[in-house]
Each structure stands twice: as C-alpha cells, then as structure tokens.
Amino acid sequence: GAVIVNDKREFLSSLCFAETLVKGMLRLPLIRQTKNPMRLLTETDMYLLDTGSSIEFGLVIPMETLTFERAASMEKVVQLSMRCGSVEEAEAVTAEVRKAFPEVIGNINRNYIDFNLKEANKRDGLRRLLKVTGWQPEETLFIGDDQNDLPAVKYFHGCTVETAEPFMKEAATKVYPSVGDMLLAHL
C-alpha cells in the first residue's frame, strides 16, 4: 500500500517516510546494532542494509548493499524491513519501534517485519487504488494469509488460503487451497 503504479509504471500514489523519520529509525540502537538482515525500499528500488548479518534476507533478487549512513540519506523511502530470528523477536522489535515512532506501523508476517507509515497498509492502499482508478469495491478480489492482511480481508470481504491461521479463516468470506484456486474460481 505504500506505492501504487499503473500498467505504464506511472506513480498513482506514494507514501514516503520523512527524511527525519528514516534517520531517526536508523539511529535506534535496536536497529543500528542488529545483526538481523534488513532491507530498505524506495519508490523504485530495493537495497540490503549492511548489518554484518551472515543470514540471508530470504529474497533471491540481487540488491545493492548500503551502509547505514548511505541509507539515512536515501530519498523517497517507503519501507524498512527486517528478518528476525523468531515471531517473538519480531513482535518485540515492532513494539520498540512503534513506541519511538507512533506514525509507523510494523506489519509482521511470520518472522519478517515491514515498517511503513500507518496509512501504507494493504487496506488503505487498495482504497487509494480504487479512488485513483474509479474501480468499485465489488470489482475487487483480495486474498491474504496473515495478520498484515486482516484489515483488507475484513474491509473487502476477502478470502484466505488453507494454510492461514484460524483467525484469518474466521475473518475471510471463503478459504481456498491457494491464491491460484481463488483466481480460477473468479475467472
């Protein structure tokens, strides 16, 4: 929900961190001293942060590695992400970052955290997409599998997959074996 582009790669909506927010988050001891893999996303690019981690972030996409100093000077930053060792660690990191920066939300998906501005969630991003395109909510399909998808599943009467947690299945209008099965059912 932080960046919305059309099929011509034109920006329709973008929610970037203020420069002071990026610098402040990167100065937090919890972030600055982590050995967890981290990445930084701008409107157009994705970078790894040099945390000294020997653990891969989990993406096979080649990314340039940035120092914390260079990351702090990046423009149009839309997300900071961290791969933690456990869900419990991700929850603790998220709580500390949100305490220091209430305008930021930490979306946890298993042991990964995506830090964005509060308004950059999937539900509000999809609502912004509908507004700029003129599409209607009833023309929209949404499927999600974890906590970060829950507001959109509820708002758009979305679906989930069989591997999702029970709370997602309770919120969803239908449970499918896979995303592909949901798409095939609506063709």
Side-chain angles (χ1 to χ4, degrees):
V3 177
I4 300 171
V5 296
N6 65 15
D7 59 345
K8 297 176 185 79
R9 295 183 181 230
E10 298 166 330
F11 288 94
L12 302 178
S13 175
S14 184
L15 295 174
C16 300
F17 290 138
E19 187 178 316
T20 55
L21 180 59
V22 174
K23 289 179 180 181
M25 287 178 68
L26 292 174
R27 276 192 218 115
L28 276 177
L30 181 74
I31 300 292
R32 187 63 180 221
Q33 297 166 8
T34 189
K35 293 299 178 193
N36 289 330
M38 290 187 66
R39 63 183 180 148
L40 176 143
L41 286 78
T42 66
E43 279 184 333
T44 57
D45 297 297
M46 187 172 7
Y47 303 92
L48 289 174
L49 286 175
D50 185 6
T51 63
S53 177
S54 61
I55 303 166
E56 295 292 324
F57 191 84
L59 297 172
V60 293
I61 303 166
M63 291 177 263
E64 180 182 346
T65 301
L66 302 176
T67 63
F68 275 85
E69 290 72 27
R70 180 142 179 253
S73 69
M74 298 297 288
E75 295 182 0
K76 298 189 176 183
V77 174
V78 296
Q79 182 170 297
L80 285 171
S81 299
M82 179 186 286
R83 177 183 176 189
C84 296
S86 67
V87 172
E88 295 76 21
E89 181 185 6
E91 290 170 345
V93 169
T94 299
E96 189 163 329
V97 170
R98 289 200 62 202
K99 183 177 175 184
F101 300 99
E103 67 273 38
V104 172
I105 190 163
N107 290 306
I108 300 172
N109 191 341
R110 295 172 182 80
N111 60 322
Y112 289 83
I113 314 165
D114 292 334
F115 292 108
N116 302 93
L117 293 175
K118 281 185 179 179
E119 302 83 15
N121 63 69
K122 293 177 184 182
R123 180 197 62 209
D124 293 344
L126 193 48
R127 288 170 55 181
R128 281 192 301 282
L129 176 64
L130 295 178
K131 185 175 181 178
V132 298
T133 61
W135 297 339
Q136 300 303 310
E138 57 273 6
E139 298 174 302
T140 305
L141 295 174
F142 187 88
I143 189 166
D145 69 343
D146 212 336
Q147 185 70 36
N148 61 329
D149 303 311
L150 188 58
V153 165
K154 288 179 176 180
Y155 185 86
F156 289 101
H157 308 287
C159 307
T160 193
V161 291
E162 289 175 356
T163 57
E165 296 291 333
F167 69 89
M168 288 299 293
K169 293 177 183 176
E170 290 171 20
T173 56
K174 187 152 182 167
V175 177
Y176 288 95
S178 70
V179 173
D181 288 310
M182 185 274 289
L183 293 172
L184 288 172
H186 289 88
L187 284 179

